Amino acid sequence: MFKDNLMMLRKMRGMTQEELAEKIDVSRQTLSKYETGVSHS
């Protein structure tokens, strides 16, 4: 699933949620929702 792949790839690159969120121009809270499957958009 998307949420699992997102978290796995982020961790493989040694990035925090904050770092990835900044790179993809979303808030850390939004990224967290993506990783937990709460948000799908």
Side-chain angles (χ1 to χ4, degrees), residues 5-32:
N5 289 335
L6 179 62
M7 186 182 302
M8 179 189 66
L9 291 170
R10 175 179 62 79
K11 288 183 177 183
M12 282 177 57
R13 292 190 175 256
M15 297 178 79
T16 65
Q17 284 185 340
E18 187 70 37
E19 291 168 333
L20 180 56
E22 190 174 306
K23 278 200 176 281
I24 64 173
D25 198 31
V26 298
S27 71
R28 192 212 47 84
Q29 291 84 357
T30 297
L31 181 63
S32 178

